Amino acid sequence: MIRTNTRPASAEPMQVTASRYTLRGSLHLVALGLILLLAALLRCANLEALGYANHYYTAGVASMLQSWQNFFFVAAEPGGSVSIDKPPVGLWLQAISASLFGLNGVAVLLPQIIAGILSVCVLYHLVKRTYGVPAGLLAALVLAITPIVVATDRNNTIDSTLILTLLLASWAFLKATEQGMLRYLLLGVALAGIGFNIKMLQAYLPLPAFYGLYLLGAKTPLWRKLANLALATVLLLAVSLSWAIAVDLTPADQRPYVGSSGNNSVITLMLGYNGINRLVGMEGHGNQPEGSFDDDDGRDDQMATPSQADANDGAFQPGPGAPPMNANGGPGAPEGPGGPGGGFPGTGQAGPLRLFTTPLSKEMSWLLPFGLFSIGLLTFRSRLRWPITAQHQAVVLWGGWLVTGVVFFSIAGFFHEYYLSSLAAPLAALVAIGAIELWRLRGEHPRLATRLLLLATSVTLGLQLLTAYAFVGDAWWLAINGVLFASGAVLLLITVKRPLSSTVAIGFVTVIAALLILPSIWSALTTINASANQSLPSAYSGQISGPANEGDVQVNQELIDYLGEHTQDTKYLMAVPSSHEGADYVLAMNRPVLYLGGFMGQDEVASGADLSDMVAAGELRYIYWRANTSESEANPMAMGPGGGNAEITTWVATSCVAVEGFTAESENQFSILPDGAAADDGRADDGRADGGMPPGRGQALTLYDCGG
């Protein structure tokens, strides 16, 4: 009997095709896994050197763990006298992590590290779903190695959580645009509202792009889209303002003072300090000395001292083209909030080239020229249709997000370097999509595509080299990207008349790889340079050094011993002018420390009458202050944090007595010393409990006993 083959003739080819598809899918997963591994290594290496990272936030987390009320209102210190000047969601995540793993540096950093790695995954998915796996992988890789993103993900500032939330919101808006379903639109604005409760108005920067995407791309009738957007806006405001309204409706005597608000209102904090002041500068809070304070992010900008500079022997030093040194000891414009051009320390001068010049170009601008080029390429690559196609949707979503941010940060008067991390995701998406579009264009118009690729790449590499040279000089590794670019350019030029081939692919990939070398090296150096990640995250600035005391608390042990012995029956360990002097004592003692001036020393958390009542009730006995009424009244800002509160100054002078051994003239005084001065008690050179330098530096405080 002859057996017949009943298997369909096409079965074997189908199996081969399926096998190839499975293999290709496996390779894609391996590639994504390697990118995620790289992202994790950059974010997790050398974490022990960061200690408590941003002590202001970490002290707040310690406070939030002590009661549900402190948790809900994000109290800055365990006594619940004043709140952190940011909304709660990102800080809630840190508190939950600390409750699970204990209050330590890794626990408060973990939510940001996880958010950073998840952002790489989400961006991969968002780009891949429209432009394919290679584009998704390239976008993920660019985000993983962007220096300021690496620095921010390694810090307990809350921008990493915001970035992940906004990427999830962009996914929802894309689904709403593609499917025309209202529920995805509402999900998108709800996520944006949650983002508002992470970093307030900063979460709204991509909203014009989100709304424009839905309005221009959805196939729903225009009148219905407008109605849906109106409904979505109502939900956006409801979610955004939910916590703020709940706080403001709570009687003031039943909650902490709203830090940095000026009038104890979250709405004012939202519109002022965390709103319009970001654009126009800090005039509303007084012009502080340059480098004297941070806005929200823990401790003051770190001050470079001679001893720190000596510790950097053998490390990379700024090259001959280095920009001027700012108050942080890093490159940057020397002007403060009220300086020429409205620049803030470390952020350069306002203007159209701000992000393309040092010091800001080292943060996220390494690929910015290529990203802006990609916007133009995508805009003119195909004919405009209504509703807009996926290609132009990418322009509206990613290009709109990026351009809105670039314009804002080019003119803003009050922000820090790490705020630019919010632009890294749209930039990474545009770089990847632009590269893929150039590859496709190569198949249609090889000469044009080659010229455009080499032009965009050469301009971008030029910016990279100028930026790197300004900080490290003639480092040998600056030549790597040039060699790669030249090799890839030769391969592309000798095959310019040929269709797509393996040689063309090698040349193309080599040229694109040349763009990623310097950002990758810079991110590695950022990871090594723990001091740049500790309080205010920023990218590598040309010197490698560790944070003072390895990021641990810096306190006066004699003071702790004295207060521990004499305050066993009082609620507060002591009262201090601001969080700058108190955060490390909260971490060291896990006890309430009254921040009389809130974060920057400019709030009126308590009055002289309040202090008198607290002393009478046995809640408070000691206060660190400088009781010099005439000097405070003549020049309040010269007195530094809290020094301008003449009422408290007068009350201290009339109601309290100086404690022997802790006066301005004694060895153990709690001093705010000038730059480079040596503390007598073994603390950091700046004499600060948290390693920074607050307003009014050079002033010495005295411990006063107000109830003995």
Side-chain angles (χ1 to χ4, degrees):
M1 182 176 182
I2 301 176
R3 295 178 177 236
T4 59
N5 189 355
T6 58
R7 184 177 60 183
S10 60
E12 185 172 350
M14 288 178 62
Q15 288 182 359
V16 172
T17 301
S19 223
R20 288 177 179 173
Y21 180 80
T22 302
L23 177 61
R24 183 179 300 175
S26 299
L27 292 176
H28 294 162
L29 290 178
V30 170
L32 179 60
L34 291 175
I35 292 172
L36 294 177
L37 178 61
L38 174 62
L41 288 174
L42 288 172
R43 285 151 180 81
C44 296
N46 200 29
L47 281 183
E48 66 280 358
L50 300 180
Y52 283 117
N54 189 305
H55 291 201
Y56 173 56
Y57 282 153
T58 307
V61 170
S63 307
M64 294 164 65
L65 294 177
Q66 297 203 8
S67 72
W68 282 109
Q69 182 177 23
N70 282 359
F71 179 85
F72 180 78
F73 292 113
V74 289
E77 56 87 20
S81 60
V82 63
S83 66
I84 295 175
D85 51 21
K86 286 293 173 286
V89 174
L91 297 165
W92 283 347
L93 294 176
Q94 293 181 23
I96 292 171
S97 178
S99 69
L100 295 174
F101 304 109
L103 182 66
N104 55 72
V106 174
V108 296
L109 294 177
L110 189 60
Q112 290 71 241
I113 293 173
I114 293 175
I117 296 173
L118 288 178
S119 294
V120 173
C121 292
V122 174
L123 185 64
Y124 162 77
H125 172 74
L126 292 176
V127 176
K128 182 204 73 170
R129 64 198 301 273
T130 302
Y131 283 89
V133 170
L137 291 174
L138 181 56
L141 178 59
V142 171
L143 183 61
I145 64 170
T146 300
I148 190 55
V149 175
V150 172
T152 303
D153 291 347
R154 291 166 52 81
N155 192 270
N156 56 333
T157 48
I158 47 184
D159 289 56
S160 302
T161 311
L162 173 63
I163 293 168
L164 175 61
T165 304
L166 292 179
L167 283 173
L168 293 174
S170 66
W171 170 84
F173 273 92
L174 280 169
K175 293 285 287 185
T177 301
E178 294 167 354
Q179 301 184 13
M181 294 184 178
L182 178 61
R183 65 172 178 264
Y184 286 116
L185 181 65
L186 297 180
L187 175 61
V189 295
L191 287 167
I194 294 174
F196 183 92
N197 282 289
I198 296 174
K199 205 71 186 290
M200 290 194 170
L201 288 173
Q202 187 178 340
Y204 284 1
L205 273 180
L207 272 186
F210 292 169
Y211 275 43
L213 172 69
Y214 178 76
L215 186 62
L216 299 176
K219 296 180 180 180
T220 310
L222 179 60
W223 66 268
R224 181 172 296 176
K225 286 190 287 190
L226 293 174
N228 289 345
L229 286 175
L231 177 62
T233 302
V234 173
L235 178 62
L236 171 69
L237 295 176
V239 175
S240 298
L241 300 178
S242 56
W243 181 79
I245 292 175
V247 173
D248 279 0
L249 289 179
T250 303
D253 59 352
Q254 298 178 23
R255 59 166 172 81
Y257 181 97
V258 178
S260 298
S261 65
N263 69 345
N264 203 11
S265 166
V266 180
I267 299 299
T268 303
L269 174 68
M270 172 188 73
L271 297 177
Y273 181 69
N274 286 330
I276 191 64
N277 284 352
R278 302 291 164 172
L279 180 63
V280 303
M282 283 300 293
E283 287 80 359
H285 280 260
N287 290 333
Q288 303 284 356
E290 62 180 70
S292 61
F293 62 91
D294 162 40
D295 60 334
D296 58 313
D297 310 299
R299 300 171 303 152
D300 297 48
D301 298 349
Q302 298 292 325
M303 311 301 293
T305 66
S307 62
Q308 292 169 337
D310 295 339
N312 294 329
D313 290 343
F316 286 109
Q317 299 298 325
M325 304 296 284
N326 65 14
N328 302 327
E335 289 78 10
F344 196 80
T347 60
Q349 293 300 292
L353 298 180
R354 190 183 209 174
L355 301 187
F356 298 93
T357 54
T358 54
L360 280 186
S361 58
K362 70 180 174 66
E363 307 297 342
M364 53 71 64
S365 303
W366 299 91
L367 297 169
L368 186 55
F370 196 95
L372 296 177
F373 161 80
S374 297
I375 295 176
L377 175 67
L378 294 171
T379 300
F380 298 105
R381 180 81 166 88
S382 62
R383 182 178 300 175
L384 184 64
R385 294 181 175 85
W386 180 268
I388 57 176
T389 61
Q391 195 166 21
H392 288 112
Q393 287 177 18
V395 174
V396 174
L397 174 59
W398 305 117
W401 185 347
L402 178 64
V403 170
T404 300
V406 167
V407 171
F408 175 82
F409 289 116
S410 294
I411 62 177
F414 178 36
F415 67 96
H416 287 293
E417 297 99 314
Y418 69 92
Y419 287 21
L420 295 174
S421 60
S422 62
L423 305 185
L427 176 58
L430 287 167
V431 168
I433 295 171
I436 293 302
E437 281 300 318
L438 283 172
W439 174 254
R440 294 173 180 174
L441 182 63
R442 168 79 193 211
E444 304 168 11
H445 306 285
R447 288 183 181 274
L448 176 61
T450 301
R451 291 170 181 170
L452 290 176
L453 173 64
L454 297 183
L455 174 63
T457 306
S458 60
V459 172
T460 305
L461 289 177
L463 174 63
Q464 292 184 4
L465 289 172
L466 287 174
T467 297
Y469 179 76
F471 293 97
V472 300
D474 297 317
W476 63 268
W477 39 266
L478 291 181
I480 298 177
N481 59 355
V483 172
L484 284 176
F485 173 73
S487 302
V490 169
L491 290 177
L492 290 175
L493 291 174
I494 64 176
T495 58
V496 70
K497 296 182 180 180
R498 301 178 190 175
L500 299 178
S501 64
S502 58
T503 304
V504 174
I506 293 173
F508 190 91
V509 170
T510 303
V511 169
I512 297 299
L515 293 174
L516 306 181
I517 296 299
L518 285 187
S520 300
I521 294 175
W522 217 264
S523 288
L525 293 172
T526 298
T527 296
I528 295 171
N529 187 20
S531 63
N533 298 188
Q534 189 191 9
S535 181
L536 298 178
S538 62
Y540 174 66
S541 60
Q543 294 183 352
I544 295 178
S545 62
N549 205 23
E550 295 186 351
D552 202 354
V553 295
Q554 299 177 36
V555 295
N556 184 331
Q557 188 59 46
E558 290 82 359
L559 174 63
I560 285 182
D561 294 340
Y562 180 86
L563 292 177
E565 180 181 353
H566 292 83
T567 61
Q568 296 178 0
D569 298 325
T570 62
K571 174 182 178 180
Y572 285 98
L573 183 71
M574 60 178 169
V576 295
S578 73
S579 65
H580 300 294
E581 297 80 23
D584 276 17
Y585 285 88
V586 169
L587 292 173
M589 298 292 287
N590 200 28
R591 285 189 57 185
V593 176
L594 179 57
Y595 303 162
L596 292 171
F599 172 70
M600 292 195 301
Q602 302 304 307
D603 287 322
E604 295 184 5
V605 176
S607 64
D610 295 329
L611 294 177
S612 181
D613 292 341
M614 294 171 69
V615 170
E619 296 181 345
L620 175 69
R621 177 173 177 178
Y622 294 96
I623 179 172
Y624 244 121
W625 204 256
R626 175 166 178 169
N628 186 330
T629 307
S630 59
E631 186 172 350
S632 296
E633 292 175 348
N635 185 10
M637 292 308 301
M639 293 301 297
N645 194 323
E647 180 189 2
I648 293 181
T649 301
T650 301
W651 178 81
V652 170
T654 57
S655 305
C656 309
V657 295
V659 178
E660 183 178 354
F662 298 99
T663 64
E665 295 77 21
S666 66
E667 184 174 303
N668 288 318
Q669 56 97 7
F670 189 51
S671 176
I672 306 173
L673 299 175
D675 299 46
D680 293 328
D681 57 5
R683 289 171 290 160
D685 288 339
D686 54 347
R688 284 288 311 289
D690 60 7
M693 187 70 64
R697 57 185 180 270
Q699 305 299 324
L701 303 180
T702 295
L703 180 66
Y704 290 91
D705 185 347
C706 302

